[in-house]
Amino acid sequence: MANLLATKPLTTILNEAQETGEHCLKRALGPGNLIALGIGAIIGTGIFVITGAATAQHAGPAIILSFIFAAVGCVFAGLCYAEFSSMIPVAGSAYTYGYATLGEIVAWIIGWDLVLEYAFGAATVASGWSGYFISLLGDFGIKLPASIAGTHWDQFVFYNGHWENMGRIVPKLKILGIDPATLPHAHGVFNVLGFLAIVFCTFVLVIGIKESANFNTGIVVTKVCVLLIFIALGGNYLLGHRELMAANWHPFIPENQGFGQFGMSGILRAAGIIFFAYIGLTQFPLRPRRRRTRRKTCPSGFSALSSSVRCSTSWWREC
C-alpha cells in the first residue's frame, strides 16, 4: 500500500527533464504554436461539434450563459495549470503533478483519465467532421450507404432513394407531413470518413512535432477566418431581419422540461458539456519538452488562451 502512495521527488522529475541526446524530444514549439494547439482543440470540438447539440437539447438561446459559465471555470483551471507547470516544467500534465504530490496510484488513475479524455475528444471531432463532409457530399448528390456513414448508434431512414441521417432529416420530414416511422430504418456499422480523418491526423503527427504544429496553425487560422466570416454575414442578415432575430431569442431561457432540459438546469448541463471542449488547456503542460523556453512559454501561453476564451465568450454575447 505504501508503494501505491509513493511520490516521485521533484528533483528526480526535473533531472529527467534535463536529459539530452539522440532519443530526446526536439524543442521546437513557441508560444504561438502552443496557443494554436489549444485554440484548435477548443474550436474544433466546442463550436463545430458540441454547440448545436447543447443548444437544441439543453439550453436554447441561453447557450450564451452556458459559454460564460464554462469560460469562467476554464480560466480558473488554466491558472491552476499555469502555476503547476511553472513549478514542475516537465511533460505529463496532471499525471506528473499527481505523481509528485499525491502518489503513484493517483497518478496512474489520472494518466488513464487523460488517455480517455483525448480519445473521446478525437472521436467527437472525427465524428463531427464526418457528418459535415457527408452533408457536403449530399449537396453534390453523392450519398453514402448507411453502413459506412455512421456507427451502430447512428440511425438512418431511407428517403427519396437513399439513406439519410435520422437527426438531420426528421425536421424536413415533419414539414412535409411524413412520419419517419413509416420509412425503412437502418443503423450504421463503421464510420469510414471519421476513421480516415483520424488516420490522416495520425500521419501528420508522425511526420514531426514542428510540421504538425505548423499544419495545425494553418488549420486554426482557416477556422477562425471562417467563424469571423460567418459572424459577419449572420450579423448582417439578422440586422436586416430584426423580427426574425427577436423570434429566435424568445424565450431566452425556455421553460424547464425536466432535469437538464432547458431552464437553469439545462444551462448548467450545457455548460458542463461545453467545458469538455476546453480540453485544449491541457495541451500546454503536456509539451514542456517540446518548448524552446519552458518556464516562460507555458504561463504566457495560458494567459493568451484565457484571453482567447474571453474573446470567444464576447462573440457569443454579441450574437
PDB file of all heavy atoms in Angstrom, residues 148-161:
ATOM      1  N   ILE A 148     -21.605   2.601 -43.921  1.00  0.00           N
ATOM      2  CA  ILE A 148     -20.295   3.244 -43.800  1.00  0.00           C
ATOM      3  C   ILE A 148     -20.404   4.738 -43.485  1.00  0.00           C
ATOM      4  O   ILE A 148     -19.404   5.441 -43.477  1.00  0.00           O
ATOM      5  CB  ILE A 148     -19.454   3.051 -45.079  1.00  0.00           C
ATOM      6  CG1 ILE A 148     -20.137   3.727 -46.271  1.00  0.00           C
ATOM      7  CG2 ILE A 148     -19.198   1.583 -45.344  1.00  0.00           C
ATOM      8  CD1 ILE A 148     -19.277   3.751 -47.525  1.00  0.00           C
ATOM      9  N   ALA A 149     -21.618   5.206 -43.228  1.00  0.00           N
ATOM     10  CA  ALA A 149     -21.823   6.637 -42.960  1.00  0.00           C
ATOM     11  C   ALA A 149     -21.909   6.952 -41.475  1.00  0.00           C
ATOM     12  O   ALA A 149     -22.001   8.119 -41.098  1.00  0.00           O
ATOM     13  CB  ALA A 149     -23.089   7.129 -43.658  1.00  0.00           C
ATOM     14  N   GLY A 150     -21.906   5.939 -40.627  1.00  0.00           N
ATOM     15  CA  GLY A 150     -22.011   6.194 -39.189  1.00  0.00           C
ATOM     16  C   GLY A 150     -21.741   4.928 -38.398  1.00  0.00           C
ATOM     17  O   GLY A 150     -21.464   3.856 -38.963  1.00  0.00           O
ATOM     18  N   THR A 151     -21.827   5.052 -37.094  1.00  0.00           N
ATOM     19  CA  THR A 151     -21.594   3.911 -36.208  1.00  0.00           C
ATOM     20  C   THR A 151     -22.918   3.215 -35.881  1.00  0.00           C
ATOM     21  O   THR A 151     -23.982   3.609 -36.375  1.00  0.00           O
ATOM     22  CB  THR A 151     -20.927   4.375 -34.909  1.00  0.00           C
ATOM     23  OG1 THR A 151     -21.834   5.241 -34.192  1.00  0.00           O
ATOM     24  CG2 THR A 151     -19.636   5.118 -35.192  1.00  0.00           C
ATOM     25  N   HIS A 152     -22.856   2.216 -35.020  1.00  0.00           N
ATOM     26  CA  HIS A 152     -24.064   1.464 -34.661  1.00  0.00           C
ATOM     27  C   HIS A 152     -25.103   2.355 -33.984  1.00  0.00           C
ATOM     28  O   HIS A 152     -26.299   2.068 -34.035  1.00  0.00           O
ATOM     29  CB  HIS A 152     -23.678   0.319 -33.725  1.00  0.00           C
ATOM     30  CG  HIS A 152     -24.851  -0.448 -33.196  1.00  0.00           C
ATOM     31  ND1 HIS A 152     -25.599  -1.315 -33.986  1.00  0.00           N
ATOM     32  CD2 HIS A 152     -25.423  -0.469 -31.956  1.00  0.00           C
ATOM     33  CE1 HIS A 152     -26.574  -1.818 -33.254  1.00  0.00           C
ATOM     34  NE2 HIS A 152     -26.491  -1.340 -32.031  1.00  0.00           N
ATOM     35  N   TRP A 153     -24.663   3.453 -33.354  1.00  0.00           N
ATOM     36  CA  TRP A 153     -25.591   4.330 -32.631  1.00  0.00           C
ATOM     37  C   TRP A 153     -26.234   5.376 -33.546  1.00  0.00           C
ATOM     38  O   TRP A 153     -27.117   6.096 -33.127  1.00  0.00           O
ATOM     39  CB  TRP A 153     -24.861   5.023 -31.495  1.00  0.00           C
ATOM     40  CG  TRP A 153     -24.408   4.071 -30.440  1.00  0.00           C
ATOM     41  CD1 TRP A 153     -25.132   3.620 -29.367  1.00  0.00           C
ATOM     42  CD2 TRP A 153     -23.152   3.407 -30.374  1.00  0.00           C
ATOM     43  NE1 TRP A 153     -24.389   2.731 -28.625  1.00  0.00           N
ATOM     44  CE2 TRP A 153     -23.169   2.576 -29.215  1.00  0.00           C
ATOM     45  CE3 TRP A 153     -22.006   3.423 -31.157  1.00  0.00           C
ATOM     46  CZ2 TRP A 153     -22.090   1.791 -28.855  1.00  0.00           C
ATOM     47  CZ3 TRP A 153     -20.932   2.640 -30.798  1.00  0.00           C
ATOM     48  CH2 TRP A 153     -20.974   1.833 -29.659  1.00  0.00           C
ATOM     49  N   ASP A 154     -25.790   5.466 -34.803  1.00  0.00           N
ATOM     50  CA  ASP A 154     -26.370   6.409 -35.762  1.00  0.00           C
ATOM     51  C   ASP A 154     -27.488   5.723 -36.536  1.00  0.00           C
ATOM     52  O   ASP A 154     -27.292   4.660 -37.124  1.00  0.00           O
ATOM     53  CB  ASP A 154     -25.295   6.907 -36.739  1.00  0.00           C
ATOM     54  CG  ASP A 154     -24.215   7.711 -36.050  1.00  0.00           C
ATOM     55  OD1 ASP A 154     -24.563   8.535 -35.198  1.00  0.00           O
ATOM     56  OD2 ASP A 154     -23.019   7.496 -36.357  1.00  0.00           O
ATOM     57  N   GLN A 155     -28.656   6.343 -36.515  1.00  0.00           N
ATOM     58  CA  GLN A 155     -29.819   5.767 -37.174  1.00  0.00           C
ATOM     59  C   GLN A 155     -30.097   6.489 -38.490  1.00  0.00           C
ATOM     60  O   GLN A 155     -29.974   7.719 -38.571  1.00  0.00           O
ATOM     61  CB  GLN A 155     -31.038   5.841 -36.257  1.00  0.00           C
ATOM     62  CG  GLN A 155     -32.223   5.017 -36.722  1.00  0.00           C
ATOM     63  CD  GLN A 155     -33.324   4.952 -35.674  1.00  0.00           C
ATOM     64  OE1 GLN A 155     -33.268   5.649 -34.671  1.00  0.00           O
ATOM     65  NE2 GLN A 155     -34.317   4.123 -35.910  1.00  0.00           N
ATOM     66  N   PHE A 156     -30.470   5.749 -39.514  1.00  0.00           N
ATOM     67  CA  PHE A 156     -30.743   6.302 -40.831  1.00  0.00           C
ATOM     68  C   PHE A 156     -32.133   5.857 -41.296  1.00  0.00           C
ATOM     69  O   PHE A 156     -32.633   4.809 -40.888  1.00  0.00           O
ATOM     70  CB  PHE A 156     -29.693   5.833 -41.846  1.00  0.00           C
ATOM     71  CG  PHE A 156     -28.292   6.293 -41.535  1.00  0.00           C
ATOM     72  CD1 PHE A 156     -27.499   5.585 -40.633  1.00  0.00           C
ATOM     73  CD2 PHE A 156     -27.772   7.424 -42.138  1.00  0.00           C
ATOM     74  CE1 PHE A 156     -26.218   6.000 -40.349  1.00  0.00           C
ATOM     75  CE2 PHE A 156     -26.483   7.844 -41.857  1.00  0.00           C
ATOM     76  CZ  PHE A 156     -25.704   7.139 -40.959  1.00  0.00           C
ATOM     77  N   VAL A 157     -32.733   6.685 -42.151  1.00  0.00           N
ATOM     78  CA  VAL A 157     -34.010   6.340 -42.775  1.00  0.00           C
ATOM     79  C   VAL A 157     -33.842   6.422 -44.293  1.00  0.00           C
ATOM     80  O   VAL A 157     -33.078   7.248 -44.802  1.00  0.00           O
ATOM     81  CB  VAL A 157     -35.148   7.275 -42.305  1.00  0.00           C
ATOM     82  CG1 VAL A 157     -35.422   7.087 -40.840  1.00  0.00           C
ATOM     83  CG2 VAL A 157     -34.824   8.729 -42.617  1.00  0.00           C
ATOM     84  N   PHE A 158     -34.549   5.553 -45.000  1.00  0.00           N
ATOM     85  CA  PHE A 158     -34.465   5.523 -46.465  1.00  0.00           C
ATOM     86  C   PHE A 158     -35.525   6.468 -47.018  1.00  0.00           C
ATOM     87  O   PHE A 158     -36.723   6.236 -46.909  1.00  0.00           O
ATOM     88  CB  PHE A 158     -34.696   4.103 -46.975  1.00  0.00           C
ATOM     89  CG  PHE A 158     -34.309   3.930 -48.413  1.00  0.00           C
ATOM     90  CD1 PHE A 158     -32.979   3.833 -48.772  1.00  0.00           C
ATOM     91  CD2 PHE A 158     -35.284   3.868 -49.397  1.00  0.00           C
ATOM     92  CE1 PHE A 158     -32.610   3.672 -50.095  1.00  0.00           C
ATOM     93  CE2 PHE A 158     -34.933   3.707 -50.729  1.00  0.00           C
ATOM     94  CZ  PHE A 158     -33.595   3.617 -51.079  1.00  0.00           C
ATOM     95  N   TYR A 159     -35.039   7.575 -47.613  1.00  0.00           N
ATOM     96  CA  TYR A 159     -35.963   8.594 -48.116  1.00  0.00           C
ATOM     97  C   TYR A 159     -35.453   9.116 -49.456  1.00  0.00           C
ATOM     98  O   TYR A 159     -34.263   9.407 -49.620  1.00  0.00           O
ATOM     99  CB  TYR A 159     -36.082   9.740 -47.108  1.00  0.00           C
ATOM    100  CG  TYR A 159     -36.828  10.946 -47.630  1.00  0.00           C
ATOM    101  CD1 TYR A 159     -38.206  10.910 -47.793  1.00  0.00           C
ATOM    102  CD2 TYR A 159     -36.147  12.115 -47.974  1.00  0.00           C
ATOM    103  CE1 TYR A 159     -38.892  12.012 -48.289  1.00  0.00           C
ATOM    104  CE2 TYR A 159     -36.828  13.217 -48.464  1.00  0.00           C
ATOM    105  CZ  TYR A 159     -38.204  13.158 -48.620  1.00  0.00           C
ATOM    106  OH  TYR A 159     -38.879  14.242 -49.111  1.00  0.00           O
ATOM    107  N   ASN A 160     -36.353   9.216 -50.397  1.00  0.00           N
ATOM    108  CA  ASN A 160     -36.044   9.783 -51.715  1.00  0.00           C
ATOM    109  C   ASN A 160     -34.916   9.022 -52.433  1.00  0.00           C
ATOM    110  O   ASN A 160     -34.064   9.617 -53.098  1.00  0.00           O
ATOM    111  CB  ASN A 160     -35.671  11.264 -51.572  1.00  0.00           C
ATOM    112  CG  ASN A 160     -35.844  12.026 -52.873  1.00  0.00           C
ATOM    113  OD1 ASN A 160     -36.570  11.592 -53.764  1.00  0.00           O
ATOM    114  ND2 ASN A 160     -35.178  13.171 -52.990  1.00  0.00           N
ATOM    115  N   GLY A 161     -34.879   7.706 -52.222  1.00  0.00           N
ATOM    116  CA  GLY A 161     -33.938   6.878 -52.964  1.00  0.00           C
ATOM    117  C   GLY A 161     -32.579   6.681 -52.335  1.00  0.00           C
ATOM    118  O   GLY A 161     -31.704   6.064 -52.940  1.00  0.00           O
TER     119      GLY A 161
END
